[in-house]
Amino acid sequence: MQLRQAITKSDEETEKLIQLVLELKKQKNAVILVHNYQIPDMYKIADFIGDSLELSKQAAKTDADIILFCGVKFMAETAKILSPKKTVLLPNLEAGCSLADMAAPNQLEKMKKKHPKAAVVSYVNTSAEIKAMSDVCCTSMNAVKIVNALPNEEIIFLPDKNLGKYVQEKTKKKIILWDGYCSIHHELNAKALTDLKKQNPNAKIIAHPECQEDVLQVADHICGTGGMAKFANSNDTKDFIVVTECGMTEKLREDAPDKNFHSFCNICPYMKATTLPMALNSLENNQNEIILPQDIIVKAGKALNRMLEFA
Ligand code: CIZ
Protein backbone atom coordinates (compact mmCIF):
# COMPACT_ATOMS: atom_id res chain seq x y z
CA MET A 1 0.00 0.00 0.00
CA GLN A 2 2.76 2.44 0.99
CA LEU A 3 4.76 1.50 -2.12
CA ARG A 4 1.75 2.19 -4.33
CA GLN A 5 1.22 5.56 -2.62
CA ALA A 6 4.85 6.49 -3.19
CA ILE A 7 4.74 5.49 -6.85
CA THR A 8 1.64 7.64 -7.53
CA LYS A 9 3.08 10.73 -5.84
CA SER A 10 3.65 13.61 -8.23
CA ASP A 11 7.16 14.63 -9.23
CA GLU A 12 6.76 17.73 -7.11
CA GLU A 13 5.94 15.76 -3.99
CA THR A 14 8.85 13.39 -4.68
CA GLU A 15 11.20 16.35 -5.04
CA LYS A 16 9.93 17.79 -1.74
CA LEU A 17 10.53 14.49 0.03
CA ILE A 18 14.04 14.26 -1.39
CA GLN A 19 14.84 17.78 -0.17
CA LEU A 20 13.47 17.00 3.30
CA VAL A 21 15.58 13.85 3.57
CA LEU A 22 18.70 15.66 2.36
CA GLU A 23 18.22 18.52 4.86
CA LEU A 24 17.60 16.14 7.72
CA LYS A 25 20.64 14.11 6.71
CA LYS A 26 22.84 17.20 7.16
CA GLN A 27 21.23 18.18 10.46
CA LYS A 28 21.65 14.71 11.91
CA ASN A 29 25.09 14.01 10.44
CA ALA A 30 23.81 10.90 8.68
CA VAL A 31 25.15 8.98 5.71
CA ILE A 32 22.64 7.36 3.35
CA LEU A 33 23.43 4.03 1.69
CA VAL A 34 21.30 2.77 -1.19
CA HIS A 35 21.62 -0.73 -2.61
CA ASN A 36 21.73 -1.11 -6.41
CA TYR A 37 18.36 -2.93 -6.45
CA GLN A 38 16.37 -0.14 -4.76
CA ILE A 39 13.72 1.86 -6.65
CA PRO A 40 15.36 4.74 -8.62
CA ASP A 41 13.80 7.45 -6.38
CA MET A 42 15.98 6.17 -3.56
CA TYR A 43 19.16 6.77 -5.59
CA LYS A 44 18.42 10.50 -5.34
CA ILE A 45 19.04 10.61 -1.58
CA ALA A 46 22.15 8.41 -1.64
CA ASP A 47 25.64 9.28 -0.53
CA PHE A 48 26.72 5.89 -1.82
CA ILE A 49 25.05 3.38 -4.15
CA GLY A 50 26.41 -0.13 -4.52
CA ASP A 51 26.48 -3.67 -3.14
CA SER A 52 26.01 -4.27 0.55
CA LEU A 53 29.62 -4.86 1.55
CA GLU A 54 31.03 -1.90 -0.36
CA LEU A 55 28.32 0.34 1.11
CA SER A 56 29.04 -0.82 4.65
CA LYS A 57 32.76 -0.30 4.15
CA GLN A 58 32.19 3.21 2.77
CA ALA A 59 29.95 4.14 5.70
CA ALA A 60 32.51 2.86 8.22
CA LYS A 61 35.07 5.29 6.78
CA THR A 62 32.83 8.32 7.39
CA ASP A 63 32.43 10.25 10.64
CA ALA A 64 28.62 10.10 10.38
CA ASP A 65 26.64 9.46 13.58
CA ILE A 66 23.82 7.70 11.73
CA ILE A 67 23.73 5.26 8.82
CA LEU A 68 20.41 5.08 7.00
CA PHE A 69 20.56 1.84 4.99
CA CYS A 70 18.07 1.67 2.11
CA GLY A 71 18.31 -2.02 1.45
CA VAL A 72 17.35 -5.18 3.32
CA LYS A 73 17.91 -6.27 6.91
CA PHE A 74 21.08 -8.36 6.57
CA MET A 75 22.73 -5.42 4.79
CA ALA A 76 21.94 -3.01 7.62
CA GLU A 77 23.29 -5.62 10.05
CA THR A 78 26.56 -5.73 8.10
CA ALA A 79 26.77 -1.95 8.35
CA LYS A 80 26.22 -2.18 12.12
CA ILE A 81 28.90 -4.87 12.48
CA LEU A 82 31.45 -2.72 10.62
CA SER A 83 30.36 0.50 12.42
CA PRO A 84 29.29 -0.66 15.89
CA LYS A 85 29.40 2.85 17.36
CA LYS A 86 27.09 4.36 14.75
CA THR A 87 23.29 4.26 14.88
CA VAL A 88 22.11 2.14 11.94
CA LEU A 89 18.56 2.60 10.67
CA LEU A 90 16.60 0.44 8.22
CA PRO A 91 13.63 2.44 6.82
CA ASN A 92 11.43 -0.65 6.53
CA LEU A 93 11.98 -3.48 9.00
CA GLU A 94 9.84 -5.75 6.80
CA ALA A 95 12.55 -5.63 4.13
CA GLY A 96 14.05 -9.07 4.68
CA CYS A 97 15.81 -11.50 2.36
CA SER A 98 14.43 -14.93 1.48
CA LEU A 99 17.97 -16.23 0.86
CA ALA A 100 19.29 -15.05 4.24
CA ASP A 101 16.19 -16.54 5.89
CA MET A 102 17.09 -19.97 4.48
CA ALA A 103 19.98 -20.30 6.95
CA ALA A 104 18.89 -20.68 10.58
CA PRO A 105 21.47 -20.89 13.41
CA ASN A 106 20.15 -24.25 14.71
CA GLN A 107 20.53 -25.80 11.23
CA LEU A 108 24.09 -24.54 11.02
CA GLU A 109 24.81 -25.93 14.48
CA LYS A 110 23.70 -29.38 13.26
CA MET A 111 25.72 -29.10 10.07
CA LYS A 112 28.86 -28.16 12.03
CA LYS A 113 28.41 -31.21 14.27
CA LYS A 114 28.01 -33.44 11.23
CA HIS A 115 31.19 -32.06 9.59
CA PRO A 116 33.53 -31.17 12.49
CA LYS A 117 36.58 -30.74 10.26
CA ALA A 118 34.90 -28.34 7.88
CA ALA A 119 35.34 -24.56 7.95
CA VAL A 120 32.18 -22.49 7.65
CA VAL A 121 32.19 -19.91 4.86
CA SER A 122 29.12 -17.73 4.80
CA TYR A 123 28.13 -15.46 1.95
CA VAL A 124 27.53 -11.87 3.08
CA ASN A 125 23.83 -12.44 2.39
CA THR A 126 23.25 -14.00 5.82
CA SER A 127 22.03 -12.80 9.19
CA ALA A 128 24.46 -11.41 11.78
CA GLU A 129 23.96 -14.58 13.87
CA ILE A 130 25.06 -16.82 11.00
CA LYS A 131 28.07 -14.60 10.33
CA ALA A 132 28.97 -14.89 14.01
CA MET A 133 28.95 -18.70 13.70
CA SER A 134 31.18 -18.65 10.60
CA ASP A 135 34.94 -18.91 10.26
CA VAL A 136 34.92 -16.36 7.49
CA CYS A 137 32.48 -14.51 5.21
CA CYS A 138 32.71 -14.11 1.45
CA THR A 139 31.13 -12.18 -1.40
CA SER A 140 30.21 -13.68 -4.75
CA MET A 141 33.41 -12.24 -6.20
CA ASN A 142 35.93 -13.39 -3.58
CA ALA A 143 34.31 -16.73 -2.62
CA VAL A 144 36.81 -18.92 -4.52
CA LYS A 145 39.79 -16.99 -3.14
CA ILE A 146 38.47 -17.23 0.43
CA VAL A 147 37.78 -20.98 0.16
CA ASN A 148 41.26 -21.61 -1.24
CA ALA A 149 42.92 -19.47 1.43
CA LEU A 150 41.55 -21.61 4.27
CA PRO A 151 43.62 -24.53 5.66
CA ASN A 152 40.56 -26.83 5.77
CA GLU A 153 39.88 -29.30 2.96
CA GLU A 154 36.13 -29.36 3.63
CA ILE A 155 34.01 -26.24 3.51
CA ILE A 156 30.42 -25.76 4.62
CA PHE A 157 29.29 -23.09 2.19
CA LEU A 158 26.08 -21.24 2.89
CA PRO A 159 23.41 -20.25 2.17
CA ASP A 160 23.37 -20.12 -1.66
CA LYS A 161 23.73 -23.50 -3.37
CA ASN A 162 24.12 -21.97 -6.83
CA LEU A 163 27.05 -19.85 -5.72
CA GLY A 164 28.36 -22.92 -3.84
CA LYS A 165 28.27 -25.02 -7.03
CA TYR A 166 30.03 -22.25 -8.93
CA VAL A 167 32.77 -22.24 -6.26
CA GLN A 168 32.99 -26.06 -6.36
CA GLU A 169 33.81 -25.92 -10.07
CA LYS A 170 36.76 -23.67 -9.34
CA THR A 171 38.31 -25.34 -6.30
CA LYS A 172 39.71 -28.78 -5.47
CA LYS A 173 38.30 -28.56 -1.94
CA LYS A 174 35.12 -30.34 -0.98
CA ILE A 175 32.21 -27.90 -0.80
CA ILE A 176 29.35 -29.02 1.41
CA LEU A 177 26.37 -27.26 -0.12
CA TRP A 178 23.54 -25.67 1.82
CA ASP A 179 20.07 -26.07 0.40
CA GLY A 180 19.37 -22.36 -0.04
CA TYR A 181 18.84 -20.09 -3.01
CA CYS A 182 17.68 -16.62 -3.94
CA SER A 183 14.34 -17.20 -5.65
CA ILE A 184 14.80 -14.06 -7.76
CA HIS A 185 17.92 -15.49 -9.39
CA HIS A 186 17.10 -19.20 -9.07
CA GLU A 187 13.94 -18.89 -11.15
CA LEU A 188 15.60 -17.24 -14.14
CA ASN A 189 15.35 -19.74 -16.96
CA ALA A 190 18.25 -20.73 -19.25
CA LYS A 191 16.07 -21.55 -22.26
CA ALA A 192 14.33 -18.13 -22.15
CA LEU A 193 17.74 -16.47 -21.77
CA THR A 194 19.08 -18.33 -24.82
CA ASP A 195 16.03 -17.15 -26.81
CA LEU A 196 16.71 -13.54 -25.78
CA LYS A 197 20.34 -13.96 -26.83
CA LYS A 198 19.19 -15.21 -30.28
CA GLN A 199 17.22 -11.96 -30.68
CA ASN A 200 20.32 -9.97 -29.63
CA PRO A 201 23.20 -12.06 -30.99
CA ASN A 202 25.85 -9.37 -30.41
CA ALA A 203 24.92 -8.79 -26.79
CA LYS A 204 27.15 -10.12 -24.02
CA ILE A 205 25.43 -11.80 -21.09
CA ILE A 206 26.36 -10.62 -17.58
CA ALA A 207 24.89 -12.96 -14.95
CA HIS A 208 24.81 -12.93 -11.16
CA PRO A 209 26.38 -16.08 -9.63
CA GLU A 210 23.21 -16.73 -7.60
CA CYS A 211 21.66 -17.95 -10.90
CA GLN A 212 21.47 -21.67 -11.67
CA GLU A 213 24.33 -23.51 -13.38
CA ASP A 214 22.65 -23.71 -16.82
CA VAL A 215 22.16 -19.92 -16.82
CA LEU A 216 25.77 -19.33 -15.78
CA GLN A 217 26.96 -21.65 -18.55
CA VAL A 218 25.62 -19.31 -21.24
CA ALA A 219 26.94 -16.16 -19.54
CA ASP A 220 29.92 -14.22 -20.93
CA HIS A 221 30.70 -12.74 -17.53
CA ILE A 222 29.66 -13.75 -14.01
CA CYS A 223 29.77 -11.19 -11.18
CA GLY A 224 27.89 -9.54 -8.32
CA THR A 225 26.21 -6.18 -8.83
CA GLY A 226 29.40 -4.39 -7.78
CA GLY A 227 31.29 -5.68 -10.86
CA MET A 228 28.66 -5.22 -13.58
CA ALA A 229 29.26 -1.56 -14.56
CA LYS A 230 33.01 -2.14 -14.52
CA PHE A 231 32.66 -5.04 -16.96
CA ALA A 232 30.32 -3.13 -19.29
CA ASN A 233 32.50 -0.03 -19.31
CA SER A 234 35.71 -1.94 -19.94
CA ASN A 235 34.26 -3.99 -22.80
CA ASP A 236 34.12 -3.01 -26.49
CA THR A 237 30.64 -4.51 -26.83
CA LYS A 238 27.73 -2.06 -26.91
CA ASP A 239 24.88 -4.41 -25.94
CA PHE A 240 24.50 -6.40 -22.76
CA ILE A 241 21.89 -8.73 -21.33
CA VAL A 242 21.78 -8.27 -17.55
CA VAL A 243 20.70 -11.34 -15.61
CA THR A 244 19.81 -10.40 -12.05
CA GLU A 245 17.22 -8.36 -10.10
CA CYS A 246 15.48 -5.84 -12.39
CA GLY A 247 16.66 -2.72 -10.56
CA MET A 248 20.25 -3.29 -11.67
CA THR A 249 19.51 -2.39 -15.29
CA GLU A 250 18.39 1.12 -14.26
CA LYS A 251 21.60 1.58 -12.35
CA LEU A 252 23.75 0.33 -15.22
CA ARG A 253 22.05 2.78 -17.61
CA GLU A 254 23.26 5.57 -15.30
CA ASP A 255 26.74 4.14 -14.83
CA ALA A 256 27.38 3.21 -18.46
CA PRO A 257 25.24 5.64 -20.51
CA ASP A 258 26.92 4.73 -23.82
CA LYS A 259 25.87 1.08 -23.61
CA ASN A 260 22.54 -0.69 -24.20
CA PHE A 261 21.22 -2.95 -21.49
CA HIS A 262 18.50 -5.56 -21.91
CA SER A 263 16.97 -6.92 -18.73
CA PHE A 264 16.53 -10.59 -18.08
CA CYS A 265 15.33 -10.30 -14.56
CA ASN A 266 12.87 -10.80 -11.72
CA ILE A 267 11.73 -8.19 -9.21
CA CYS A 268 12.60 -8.67 -5.54
CA PRO A 269 9.64 -7.39 -3.50
CA TYR A 270 11.86 -6.88 -0.44
CA MET A 271 14.23 -4.68 -2.38
CA LYS A 272 11.32 -2.56 -3.58
CA ALA A 273 9.77 -2.27 -0.11
CA THR A 274 11.62 0.91 0.87
CA THR A 275 10.19 4.28 -0.10
CA LEU A 276 11.13 7.92 0.38
CA PRO A 277 8.43 8.52 3.04
CA MET A 278 9.80 5.54 4.98
CA ALA A 279 13.36 6.86 4.71
CA LEU A 280 12.21 10.28 5.93
CA ASN A 281 10.27 8.83 8.84
CA SER A 282 13.12 6.56 9.90
CA LEU A 283 15.67 9.38 9.82
CA GLU A 284 13.37 11.92 11.48
CA ASN A 285 12.44 9.68 14.41
CA ASN A 286 15.50 7.39 14.58
CA GLN A 287 13.00 4.66 13.85
CA ASN A 288 13.88 1.02 13.09
CA GLU A 289 17.30 0.98 14.62
CA ILE A 290 19.36 -2.17 14.11
CA ILE A 291 20.39 -3.45 17.53
CA LEU A 292 22.71 -6.45 17.77
CA PRO A 293 24.10 -8.15 20.88
CA GLN A 294 27.73 -7.18 21.54
CA ASP A 295 29.03 -10.78 21.27
CA ILE A 296 27.38 -11.18 17.85
CA ILE A 297 28.95 -7.93 16.66
CA VAL A 298 32.39 -9.09 17.83
CA LYS A 299 32.16 -12.62 16.35
CA ALA A 300 30.52 -11.54 13.08
CA GLY A 301 33.07 -8.72 12.82
CA LYS A 302 35.87 -11.30 13.05
CA ALA A 303 34.39 -13.33 10.17
CA LEU A 304 33.96 -10.21 8.03
CA ASN A 305 37.42 -8.85 8.82
CA ARG A 306 39.02 -12.21 8.13
CA MET A 307 37.44 -12.08 4.68
CA LEU A 308 38.81 -8.57 4.13
CA GLU A 309 42.30 -9.78 5.13
CA PHE A 310 42.16 -12.81 2.78
CA ALA A 311 40.70 -10.87 -0.12
O1 CIZ B 1 24.84 -6.85 -4.85
C1 CIZ B 1 24.81 -8.06 -4.87
O2 CIZ B 1 25.52 -8.73 -5.63
C2 CIZ B 1 23.86 -8.75 -4.00
C3 CIZ B 1 22.93 -9.69 -4.61
C4 CIZ B 1 23.81 -8.55 -2.71
C5 CIZ B 1 24.66 -7.68 -1.88
O3 CIZ B 1 25.05 -8.17 -0.80
O4 CIZ B 1 24.89 -6.53 -2.17
Side-chain angles (χ1 to χ4, degrees):
M1 184 61 186
Q2 270 165 314
L3 177 61
R4 182 181 290 269
Q5 278 167 356
I7 285 169
T8 53
K9 274 191 192 305
S10 68
D11 287 354
E12 209 178 300
E13 278 174 277
T14 303
E15 200 45 50
K16 217 193 273 171
L17 278 167
I18 292 167
Q19 287 316 317
L20 286 171
V21 174
L22 295 180
E23 276 164 30
L24 204 54
K25 181 182 78 150
K26 259 197 221 152
Q27 277 170 32
K28 299 191 86 167
N29 189 28
V31 61
I32 302 184
L33 310 179
V34 176
H35 189 270
N36 288 317
Y37 293 160
Q38 293 285 291
I39 57 175
D41 275 354
M42 305 309 293
Y43 295 168
K44 297 176 189 152
I45 58 168
D47 288 296
F48 301 106
I49 305 172
D51 65 47
S52 66
L53 183 68
E54 270 317 308
L55 290 174
S56 300
K57 280 163 63 183
Q58 295 276 14
K61 283 187 221 155
T62 69
D63 62 2
D65 297 312
I66 297 176
I67 298 174
L68 182 76
F69 206 128
C70 303
V72 299
K73 194 164 173 216
F74 80 82
M75 300 180 175
E77 288 183 348
T78 303
K80 180 72 189 174
I81 295 160
L82 294 187
S83 300
K85 295 209 170 102
K86 294 183 171 65
T87 299
V88 178
L89 304 172
L90 182 68
N92 182 358
L93 277 184
E94 306 279 296
C97 169
S98 54
L99 173 59
D101 289 348
M102 283 181 193
N106 64 336
Q107 290 173 303
L108 180 54
E109 207 50 73
K110 275 189 206 153
M111 190 77 128
K112 282 168 95 163
K113 279 198 185 122
K114 201 168 158 197
H115 303 280
K117 288 189 185 149
V120 177
V121 177
S122 65
Y123 186 29
V124 285
N125 298 34
T126 46
S127 67
E129 269 176 297
I130 293 290
K131 287 186 178 75
M133 294 169 73
S134 305
D135 293 287
V136 59
C137 294
C138 73
T139 65
S140 54
M141 283 306 90
N142 65 26
V144 177
K145 200 170 182 183
I146 300 293
V147 162
N148 286 336
L150 287 164
N152 313 57
E153 283 308 311
E154 287 184 12
I155 309 289
I156 298 171
F157 189 91
L158 78 160
D160 192 285
K161 64 179 170 189
N162 294 321
L163 180 59
K165 283 182 196 166
Y166 170 78
V167 174
Q168 181 65 89
E169 273 180 26
K170 299 188 182 305
T171 181
K172 291 199 175 81
K173 300 201 174 180
K174 183 180 174 204
I175 304 291
I176 300 158
L177 295 174
W178 191 269
D179 193 15
Y181 55 88
C182 161
S183 51
I184 303 309
H185 290 100
H186 190 75
E187 282 162 20
L188 292 167
N189 175 276
K191 160 89 177 63
L193 175 59
T194 311
D195 290 346
L196 182 60
K197 169 82 180 181
K198 277 185 198 145
Q199 291 161 30
N200 301 278
N202 296 326
K204 285 209 165 144
I205 298 176
I206 310 175
H208 197 285
E210 290 172 23
C211 295
Q212 292 199 61
E213 214 171 349
D214 52 358
V215 167
L216 298 182
Q217 268 161 9
V218 294
D220 295 286
H221 186 64
I222 299 168
C223 64
T225 61
M228 291 183 176
K230 212 188 211 172
F231 177 72
N233 276 322
S234 63
N235 204 283
D236 290 341
T237 311
K238 187 120 179 99
D239 287 289
F240 297 89
I241 298 173
V242 185
V243 189
T244 183
E245 206 277 339
C246 298
M248 194 60 210
T249 317
E250 283 305 318
K251 183 70 180 58
L252 286 169
R253 286 183 185 132
E254 276 185 18
D255 291 349
D258 300 337
K259 309 281 177 168
N260 300 322
F261 296 100
H262 310 269
S263 279
F264 186 76
C265 64
N266 282 321
I267 291 179
C268 173
Y270 293 118
M271 280 292 184
K272 308 302 185 212
T274 302
T275 62
L276 287 171
M278 288 175 188
L280 180 63
N281 183 39
S282 181
L283 194 53
E284 198 163 30
N285 304 306
N286 275 18
Q287 206 168 58
N288 300 345
E289 183 176 354
I290 298 293
I291 310 267
L292 295 172
Q294 188 55 24
D295 64 320
I296 296 285
I297 291 183
V298 171
K299 287 182 194 155
K302 267 190 198 154
L304 278 169
N305 283 318
R306 200 168 176 209
M307 164 183 74
L308 299 176
E309 280 160 29
F310 281 159

